[in-house]
Amino acid sequence: MTRKLSFLWLVLLVACGAPAEESTEPAPLPTNIPQMEGLPAIRCEDEQPLLITDFNVYQPTRLSEPAARAPFRDPVFGICIVRVTDRAVDLAEDDSSAGLKNEYSRVQSFNSDETRILVLGLEATWYLYDALSLQPVRQLPFSGPVDPRWSASDPNVIYYSEETRLISYDIQSRAQAIVHEFAADFPGQTLTAVWTRYEGSPSFDGKSWGLMAEDENWLTSAFIVYDLPSDRVVAMLDTRGWPEDAREIDSVTISPLGDYFLVYLDKYCDQEHLGTDGNPCGLMVYDRDLKNGRGLLRLVGHSDTALDEQGREVLVYQDIDTDHISMLDLESGKITPLWPIDFSHTSIGLHISGRASLALGWALISTHDGDPASYTWMDDQVFAIELKPNGRVVRFVHTQSLVDENMEHDYWAEPQASVNRDFTRVLFTSNWGRSGTGEVEMFVIQLIPGWFGSLP
């Protein structure tokens, strides 16, 4: 996966943040921005046009890059968009990042009361933004690929992984504390990291965490289910006996309700075969107690967990074998094809976000390619899909991002759109046509609350 390669490069270049015992804060941002809590969100003041739900091919309208924090409507789909970040003034003086972006499609960027946004600088620096004014608040005191995740209950708390420690940071008091030292759970072993490996998230209620422990060679030594409220490792699976190629894990995560542990292996299964405990490959899924391991997909493209309309835990994913956006029921293993992906014109890349915990039965899709023209209905867009066969599709915006797969810097220009909990705000990244530069910005799509009810 391209994300793995990009972040391995990043790990070599970026030192990790200060130890948790220290409270050293980075230099303040170069602009003196007043606190603006309580003000209404920057938004389009005119009436929202009817949502577009058809499958016509619409060409993007080429626009000059908008100013930061100035709302405008997508000229094709009529949805309100605001550019949140400004790489020219928002970065700290000592930050050489070429741009700013939302972290990833599988990560919730908004805190629990949706007043703050976590933003990533391309040099693995982290920033706090006000979700109402969209102004930067400050740079955060950790750096590197540390998997920062908001608390699901406390809007002031961020959890992040530093080597073998889970650490909390309070954005109000600026206090840091070690929540759990996982090295103590592995006596006699030398571990390099305990984390999700970039892409995983805790359960929607924030209580259950699915983690992987890696040894000094960055091979997976164990899977862990950690219960945050009781501060206990409640399940562990030793993987040191697995073949070395099976211990190269792309990422792990716990499911939205905390019932399943998902392992994304770099090793894919042979055609018409699935993984087993004895021969793990592809997507392996375990129960919460890390027993009953079974292979559910022989290989898996970009994906995210979500809840369907009935509240069942599912994986929405790119089915590489059938060229579909499909849905996998994590309990039964049933696969439901949702929409075909047409690769006959361009090599469409896509990401999926199932972070809308309050909008059951919907997922967010973002697509990209290296051609500014659109050839299929889903090209170069951010859109929502209903999680059922022949379900409804709602199209939001053209991203204006040009992603050439031969340009390393264009990894950062993948929109990797992520949705908030009630599906009223969507974050995505765009280079606005500046392929190969790394000069990206983060945008927010603003939707009317309850927009589902206005659909045909």
Side-chain angles (χ1 to χ4, degrees):
M1 294 185 181
T2 57
R3 189 158 208 267
K4 176 187 175 184
L5 296 175
S6 297
F7 267 105
L8 284 176
W9 168 77
L10 189 62
V11 169
L12 295 174
L13 292 181
V14 182
C16 290
E21 292 80 6
E22 301 179 8
S23 58
T24 304
E25 290 285 339
L29 292 170
T31 51
N32 184 20
I33 299 168
Q35 294 296 307
M36 301 181 70
E37 286 85 350
L39 292 181
I42 296 173
R43 62 191 187 275
C44 299
E45 298 292 346
D46 55 336
E47 186 175 351
Q48 166 66 56
L50 292 176
L51 297 172
I52 293 181
T53 59
D54 62 32
F55 298 96
N56 295 331
V57 177
Y58 297 106
Q59 295 303 320
T61 300
R62 295 300 157 195
L63 303 171
S64 299
E65 185 176 40
R69 298 173 276 274
F72 66 101
R73 290 199 178 275
D74 183 280
V76 174
F77 300 112
I79 299 296
C80 187
I81 315 171
V82 188
R83 176 180 154 194
V84 178
T85 60
D86 188 340
R87 65 190 185 280
V89 299
D90 291 357
L91 293 164
E93 292 181 1
D94 60 351
D95 188 348
S96 60
S97 296
L100 293 150
K101 72 183 302 294
N102 58 298
E103 183 182 354
Y104 196 55
S105 54
R106 290 170 55 186
V107 175
Q108 181 55 258
S109 295
F110 290 90
N111 67 343
S112 63
D113 65 3
E114 309 225 341
T115 59
R116 294 291 185 264
I117 307 172
L118 190 61
V119 179
L120 171 64
L122 299 198
E123 292 296 332
T125 48
W126 299 92
Y127 290 84
L128 189 66
Y129 276 68
D130 187 308
L132 302 177
S133 68
L134 305 182
Q135 294 279 1
V137 177
R138 66 176 181 274
Q139 185 182 1
L140 293 168
F142 47 81
S143 62
V146 293
D147 290 3
R149 303 292 181 261
W150 286 106
S151 165
S153 56
D154 188 334
N156 292 318
V157 172
I158 298 170
Y159 296 102
Y160 66 96
S161 298
E162 183 184 81
E163 297 177 345
T164 59
R165 299 179 293 274
L166 181 67
I167 298 172
S168 66
Y169 174 70
D170 189 305
I171 62 173
Q172 189 170 45
S173 68
R174 306 195 183 194
Q176 292 171 295
I178 296 176
V179 177
H180 193 90
E181 172 55 90
F182 290 100
D185 300 297
F186 295 86
Q189 294 188 45
T190 301
L191 299 181
T192 299
V194 176
W195 56 340
T196 73
R197 202 174 182 281
Y198 311 123
E199 299 181 5
S201 290
S203 56
F204 281 162
D205 64 9
K207 296 179 180 179
S208 299
W209 292 64
L211 302 167
M212 56 191 286
E214 292 186 315
D215 65 16
E216 61 270 27
N217 296 315
W218 296 97
L219 295 175
T220 304
S221 296
F223 302 136
I224 298 167
V225 175
Y226 172 70
D227 182 74
L228 181 63
S230 65
D231 186 25
R232 290 190 309 119
V233 172
V234 296
M236 186 183 297
L237 177 63
D238 191 331
T239 60
R240 288 175 294 173
W242 284 17
E244 183 171 318
D245 59 350
R247 295 175 63 193
E248 295 181 352
I249 307 296
D250 181 79
S251 65
V252 299
T253 194
I254 202 80
S255 61
L257 303 181
D259 292 335
Y260 302 103
F261 185 98
L262 284 72
V263 181
Y264 299 77
L265 281 84
D266 287 339
K267 177 185 178 182
Y268 57 84
C269 310
D270 293 335
Q271 288 282 355
E272 301 182 3
H273 289 82
L274 295 174
T276 64
D277 271 336
N279 183 25
C281 54
L283 176 73
M284 296 292 296
V285 176
Y286 298 82
D287 294 342
R288 177 183 171 83
D289 59 6
L290 291 178
K291 297 179 180 178
N292 189 30
R294 62 272 189 199
L296 293 187
L297 298 173
R298 79 169 195 92
L299 76 169
V300 59
H302 287 130
S303 65
D304 196 13
T305 54
L307 297 177
D308 73 3
E309 190 175 23
Q310 287 74 42
R312 293 178 297 220
E313 296 180 286
V314 299
L315 182 76
V316 186
Y317 70 103
Q318 177 188 350
D319 190 326
I320 296 172
D321 282 332
T322 68
D323 288 344
H324 274 75
I325 299 171
S326 295
M327 179 174 67
L328 170 71
D329 187 308
L330 294 177
E331 180 179 17
S332 68
K334 178 184 177 182
I335 294 174
T336 303
L338 299 175
W339 293 104
I341 308 168
D342 183 354
F343 288 103
S344 64
H345 303 282
T346 62
S347 55
I348 300 173
L350 74 159
H351 289 85
I352 298 163
S353 181
R355 299 296 91 197
S357 56
L358 302 178
L360 300 187
W362 288 87
L364 181 77
I365 312 293
S366 55
T367 63
H368 61 268
D369 59 52
D371 191 324
S374 290
Y375 300 93
T376 79
W377 69 265
M378 66 172 63
D379 285 3
D380 313 311
Q381 283 173 64
V382 179
F383 56 94
I385 60 169
E386 195 172 19
L387 299 181
K388 60 176 63 173
N390 300 311
R392 293 168 291 182
V393 170
V394 184
R395 302 166 68 180
F396 295 146
V397 302
H398 283 120
T399 67
Q400 308 287 336
S401 205
L402 194 60
V403 181
D404 184 340
E405 61 186 6
N406 297 313
M407 293 280 189
E408 182 180 20
H409 287 300
D410 278 4
Y411 166 77
W412 302 113
E414 295 175 3
Q416 298 177 355
S418 175
V419 64
N420 73 338
R421 293 168 184 82
D422 65 358
F423 225 126
T424 57
R425 286 185 281 186
V426 171
L427 301 173
F428 72 93
T429 298
S430 176
N431 63 8
W432 218 262
R434 294 180 295 269
S435 177
T437 66
E439 296 175 356
V440 297
E441 302 284 5
M442 186 184 80
F443 294 75
V444 62
I445 298 168
Q446 298 178 340
L447 302 168
I448 297 172
W451 57 267
F452 312 95
S454 67
L455 298 177

